[in-house]
Amino acid sequence: MEKETRSFQAETKQLLDLMIHSIYTHREIFLRELVSNGSDAIDKIKFESLTNSSILENNTNFEIKISFDKENRSITISDNGIGMTYDQVVEHIGTIAKSGSKAFKQALKDKNTASEVDIIGQFGVGFYSAFMVGQKVCLITKAPNENNGVKWESQGDGNYTIEYSDEAYGGTEIPIYWRDNDDDNNYDEYLSQYKIESLIKKYSDYIRYPIKLLVTENEYPTDENGKKIDDAIPTLVTNWKILNSMTPLWKKTKETITKDEYSEFYKSKFHDWNEPLDSIHTHVDGSIEYDALLFIPEKAPLDFYSKDFSKGLQLYCKNVFIMENCPELLPDYLGFIKGIVDSPDFSLNISREILQQNKQLETISKNIEKKILSAFKEMLKNEREKYTKFFKEFGVALKNGIYSDFSGKNKEKIEDLLIFSSSNSEKEITFDEYIQKVGDKQDKIYYVSGEDRALIEKLPQMERLKEKNIEVLYLFDKIDEFVLERMNEYKGKKFQSITKGELDILNSDESKKEIEEKSKSNEPMLNKIKELLNEHISNIRLTSKLKSTPACVVTDDNSMSLEMEKILSEMPNMKDFKVSRILELNPEHEVFLTLKNCYDTNNEEKLKTISEVLYYQSLLTEGLKIDDPIEFARKINKLIVS
Ligand code: ADP
């Protein structure tokens, strides 16, 4: 087949452009990315050879090699891993994975809100990082049992070439031809033994295969005892020098590992640009033995809350890689956790089907879940600010854990980890902190959902609650109220929306009696208004919970709130979904007197118009849409001129 010239997928080209122009300090990670790819490729061939030893072609000295040429300004990184076929090169190099590509387009659209670094970071820079230092990058590769190798080449512009090649030996070789220096950029610094050694130490020390650098060193002649001979002239020799210690980080004892080492390991292993928020490292001995090294990322990947996201931990057996994403090791609500589990208790060629029913895996997964949850609890207790940051990013995942579990088991595990904004505190609080504060004075936990603090605080119901200093939790996430509905109660205290039911806490026995009496004496009028608003409301009543507002709309205690209606009606096929509404009137308000006046003078037309305006304005204050704003305006105008 002839040499082909092909174009990069549009998103890849955009990603490349971002990367080439990315800031100088990030460039050095190119080495980490390519070495990690080499190590992954060796993991893969080792794993495949367990069931098909012929693919090794007598190649069992797995290694990653680096050589550099200062004069010709190039660095070559090679591995003897799995390599790629022609089709795999086309598929993997030059395209962003499908799920990523959708999210990437979105990220570019939202570029004003996310910096370039964020965008690149969330995609994992991978192979393309070579273009941050190289003006031309080649990839020469051969997959086992293939007759031909493949040569790929690109200058990082829109195109690449690809052809069959006999240069390839088995594995992958990536020569990078360096960019020219200019006034702002000095690319030469990487073309030195010292720099390469220090980058490998910094980023790739734990890689389990030797990373060898071709170095030219002075060798001094020695005498028969191996002692250097004074004044003898050294000769220049070239040697492969091993640069990394090769101990997997998870096998080292916790106390000997620095925060930086965890951080570098995380970034290189999971291709993240950001530091991890925290790490959890455990070794378990006993009926089951395993090491787990887990990380809480700082940021959720762009596709995290989409159905394309796949969770899972990397699985190793005695240091040998088995699987990239083992979903059985994590419950869905902890799907954002990254990490590895290494256990000698698995057989190496364990298949997916066996894994799914594997008792050991189940036990490990349960232990890991507990471990992660207790790490969250610790963070919540001792590092509140950090926890708040974490919760902003992943709180919805935890809440989903409660919402999607009908058994109630997740509720017990997660309820103490939820934090919410509240009327009486600038910082988010837990349910437990809420009930500590209210003690026996309240048998309910009050909450309200809405878009933001400012809107919620203007709700008519809030006025008297604030006056009486009753703390209300503010729910801003769409899922929140559904979660509280599912939970029903916390430590014996029921959840109560302030926009549902009678809100007894605001009514003293005295005021209740007063309302009862007023309701009785105004019964005919209330019945009339109910009849006039028949198509909108299911009931009408007087309330003492309002102060400066004449009316509000609430729903029944046992039904959904209006906020939930709003969320549900945004879903496909739910447009017409409506909960039945109760109109509450404030008998102390001037408007109430006007209503009475209309009723007493038999002015039914005006009574109807005012009632409708009250109903519609109550919906608007709750942040709900009204069906016919023009009609609403017409009614107001009618009242103005009346
Ligand atoms: P990532 O490593 O995050 O998947 P890359 O862009 O670095 O992204 O690589 C894309 C894919 O190309 C890899 O998943 C792998 O399948 C393949 N690949 C990259 N480098 C190598 C290599 N040295 N040997 C074999 N396959 C490779």
Side-chain angles (χ1 to χ4, degrees), residues 33-34 37-38 40-41 44 79 81-84 88 92-93 123-128 139 141 171-172 174 271:
E33 294 297 312
L34 297 179
N37 280 354
D40 291 348
K44 285 180 197 157
D79 63 73
I82 192 86
M84 281 177 272
Q88 283 168 339
H92 295 314
I93 307 291
F123 280 87
V125 275
F127 173 77
Y128 308 113
L139 178 134
T141 186
T172 302
I174 300 169
H271 304 280

Side-chain angles (χ1 to χ4, degrees), residues 534-571:
N534 187 28
E535 56 174 320
H536 302 299
I537 61 170
S538 63
N539 206 357
I540 184 165
R541 65 184 174 221
L542 300 186
T543 180
S544 60
K545 75 173 150 223
L546 300 175
K547 197 174 173 203
S548 60
T549 346
C552 70
V553 169
V554 299
T555 59
D556 195 52
D557 253 338
N558 304 320
S559 69
M560 288 193 194
S561 71
L562 292 170
E563 193 60 29
M564 289 167 101
E565 175 193 294
K566 193 162 92 188
I567 293 164
L568 284 177
S569 63
E570 281 163 12
M571 295 184 156

Side-chain angles (χ1 to χ4, degrees), residues 25-41:
T25 44
H26 289 119
R27 268 181 216 145
E28 64 183 32
I29 58 116
F30 80 94
L31 196 57
R32 167 188 98 186
E33 294 297 312
L34 297 179
V35 165
S36 291
N37 280 354
S39 166
D40 291 348

Side-chain angles (χ1 to χ4, degrees), residues 9 11-12 15 90-105 123-124 128 303 308 310:
Q9 176 202 27
E11 292 86 55
T12 313
L15 185 59
V90 172
E91 189 188 339
H92 295 314
I93 307 291
T95 46
I96 301 177
K98 257 212 180 98
S99 62
S101 130
K102 223 185 341 172
F104 181 68
K105 275 192 204 146
F123 280 87
Y128 308 113
D303 61 350
D308 296 326
S310 51

